[in-house]
Amino acid sequence: MTSVKWDAVYVGSGITALTHAALIVDRNPALRVLILEQHDVPGGYATEFCRPKLGARFDCSLHKLSGMGPQGNLRALFRELGLEDKIRLFFPPTFFEVVSTVRLSLPEDARATQLCLTQMFPTEEVALGRFFAEVATYGRDGYMQFETLQGNYEPDFKQLRWAHRNLKPLTVAQALRQRFGDSRLIEILSLPSIYVGCYPEQCAYLYFLHVVYASLFMRSAYLEGGSQHLSNLLVKKLRLAGSDVRTNVDVERIEVDSDDGSQATGVVACGQLIRCSHVYVNASPEHAMRDLLPNLDALQDLRRRAREQIPANSTSTIYLLLDTRPDLIGLGSAETMVLAEAPEQAEQSRALARSSPTDAEIAENAYWVKSSFEVTNYALLSASGGNVVIVNVLDDVRHWPERKTAEYRAKKRRLVQVVLSRLFRAIPALESHVKYREVSTPRTCERYTRNKAGSGYGALVSPYAAAGVSGIAFPVGNVSFLSAWVSGSGYEATMGFARLMARSVQLSRHTVTANERAVRPTNAN
């Protein structure tokens, strides 16, 4: 048993925890916080793995950062953290490129993208004008949610009520079908839903509008050195302030006052009690409820809600190392979307897969064969990592066998064959230049994060998703949740949520008084 009492202990070192801890320590340098991570590197999904003999660095998440323009929320947060002068940013000229029977590059600018799409789909000109007006209006209101909660931005509340009444019940697929007639245009416009782990028939339209606004109006950038560089900067900042981040530490349980179960007093890790004034959980609420917290009557309703929370899709990812620069052989954009050949059939196949989630043949056809997927040219973004290209397919853990089985290994080989054959049909020159490949699956995500269904995106941001544990007073005092499961997915959402939570906490040495419950965001669900 340790006699040291920390001001706060974080279970998990995801980017939300690192950001929150850095902010509260900045505001009160006397504080000492401890972050515990089960993996051997800090950062959660904001990490990398290296293959030194190949000279390759593979990023575990898309390190595209929205809101990095001069007025962007994330840029302001970097400035507040003192990181702005410690990073190098690459601003791509394109939002993404679409490849199918035709190639289309969408500029990283709302007006230019609207004009580009109008030229390709002239009969949809009026509808496109209305869509981009919705992005500029309702997307902005969603983007400014955290600032609204802090009283720094006042939306038009009549406009806001109209959006919640008329747009909040819609999925992206429903909304775009109401506005457009061309199925190819609908699929192209819906592609940003991939960024939050959703297919268009799942994703909440109102949340989607803010994702598009964040990229096209507030600009997106990529970080030289990848997402691990950002995590490392935050870890260094914490250690210099006298706090600590420890890896390869498995938290066994959250210790709760034995008399009435009303207060958390610390955590138990590696058989030792680590005492603290507050516990922040940067992990799946279901994992915390099931494995870390005691079986208290007061938690039964929240356990049920955590079980019912729908996870966003997981990903199957193929990491490629080429023997030449990708932009020289047809992959000139930072991000390329390989478009579904028949979008309506793809949606039908996904509906069938969700109704029979363990049927491998149906699922592989739906997710690997039929649906659009995303390719990132990391060599263009961060040349120091090698000629790396990463292919991401939204997937579902339920049709994957357990790891370390013959069935699992065979399925990984099938994934590579099916997905890469589609990529090589779209960009033939790539095929002969692949010199190394590696695969991660939803089971890989499960292994390293213990996230429900292996979802790196947290909860599904859909009109029908369960509320989870946010928005109510948590029965066990001194426990708070920080992650994409309560904030929404993406760097800007998770780090912005950490900023909001940090500003709502009054801290003094060895005392943590949290007012977070009063400021939890609605999370677009």
Side-chain angles (χ1 to χ4, degrees), residues 115-423:
L115 290 172
C116 180
L117 290 170
T118 299
Q119 290 170 2
M120 189 169 183
F121 302 95
T123 61
E124 302 276 19
E125 180 177 5
V126 174
L128 282 165
R130 291 172 180 163
F131 170 75
F132 280 96
E134 287 185 336
V135 173
T137 303
Y138 308 116
R140 175 177 171 79
D141 284 344
Y143 182 78
M144 298 300 290
Q145 179 186 193
F146 293 150
E147 294 302 308
T148 300
L149 289 168
Q150 295 175 89
N152 298 329
Y153 173 77
E154 185 172 338
D156 182 324
F157 286 100
K158 182 179 179 180
Q159 177 177 285
L160 204 62
R161 285 191 293 272
W162 185 92
H164 276 247
R165 185 170 61 251
N166 294 283
L167 302 182
K168 192 174 181 179
L170 299 176
T171 65
V172 171
Q174 289 169 336
L176 295 183
R177 283 198 199 100
Q178 289 177 7
R179 289 154 176 76
F180 302 98
D182 191 299
S183 62
R184 282 189 308 158
L185 176 58
I186 290 171
E187 184 71 6
I188 290 169
L189 288 173
S190 71
L191 289 171
S193 61
I194 291 174
Y195 296 148
V196 290
C198 299
Y199 287 108
E201 68 274 13
Q202 300 171 300
C203 189
Y205 184 60
L206 203 52
Y207 193 87
F208 168 84
L209 290 175
H210 116 260
V211 172
V212 178
Y213 180 87
S215 293
L216 292 184
F217 284 83
M218 293 290 108
R219 299 200 65 192
S220 292
Y222 292 83
L223 192 66
E224 170 64 34
S227 58
Q228 186 72 66
H229 180 55
L230 176 57
S231 297
N232 290 347
L233 285 172
L234 291 167
V235 170
K236 181 179 180 181
K237 183 179 177 69
L238 285 164
R239 286 176 173 159
L240 286 173
S243 293
D244 201 5
V245 180
R246 299 176 188 172
T247 57
N248 295 305
V249 177
D250 195 11
V251 174
E252 298 155 27
R253 70 176 185 271
I254 296 171
E255 191 75 5
V256 175
D257 185 282
S258 57
D259 293 334
D260 58 7
S262 62
Q263 299 286 326
T265 57
V267 303
V268 174
C270 303
Q272 284 194 321
L273 173 63
I274 302 173
R275 297 172 62 243
C276 63
S277 299
H278 204 94
V279 177
Y280 290 99
V281 180
N282 188 199
S284 161
E286 185 174 36
H287 167 58
M289 296 291 181
R290 184 186 63 234
D291 302 323
L292 301 181
L293 286 158
N295 189 24
L296 302 171
D297 289 342
L299 291 177
Q300 295 313 306
D301 181 58
L302 282 173
R303 287 181 190 276
R304 175 189 59 78
R305 292 177 61 175
R307 286 194 304 269
E308 292 175 354
Q309 191 172 30
I310 303 170
N313 295 275
S314 188
T315 55
S316 288
T317 304
I318 305 172
Y319 301 91
L320 301 176
L321 180 64
L322 308 184
D323 62 9
T324 188
R325 282 169 39 194
D327 56 303
L328 298 179
I329 51 174
L331 203 64
S333 295
E335 291 193 46
T336 299
M337 301 288 189
V338 178
L339 201 65
E341 293 180 4
E344 293 175 347
Q345 290 181 19
E347 183 176 339
Q348 292 168 5
S349 70
R350 293 192 296 267
L352 181 60
R354 283 190 285 270
S355 67
S356 303
T358 60
D359 190 308
E361 184 177 356
I362 291 174
E364 290 176 18
N365 180 62
Y367 304 124
W368 305 353
V369 178
K370 299 287 189 184
S371 298
S372 300
F373 64 88
E374 187 271 342
V375 183
T376 303
N377 178 354
Y378 275 79
L380 186 64
L381 308 174
S382 186
S384 61
N387 294 319
V388 168
V389 170
I390 299 182
V391 183
N392 279 282
V393 182
L394 293 186
D395 208 342
D396 189 317
V397 74
R398 292 173 291 183
H399 69 97
W400 277 89
E402 292 299 320
R403 293 175 55 253
K404 298 183 178 180
T405 62
E407 294 81 7
Y408 179 74
R409 290 188 288 271
K411 194 178 183 78
K412 287 174 70 175
R413 291 192 292 270
R414 203 157 57 245
L415 167 74
V416 170
Q417 193 278 323
V418 171
V419 174
L420 289 190
S421 67
R422 289 184 60 195
L423 175 60

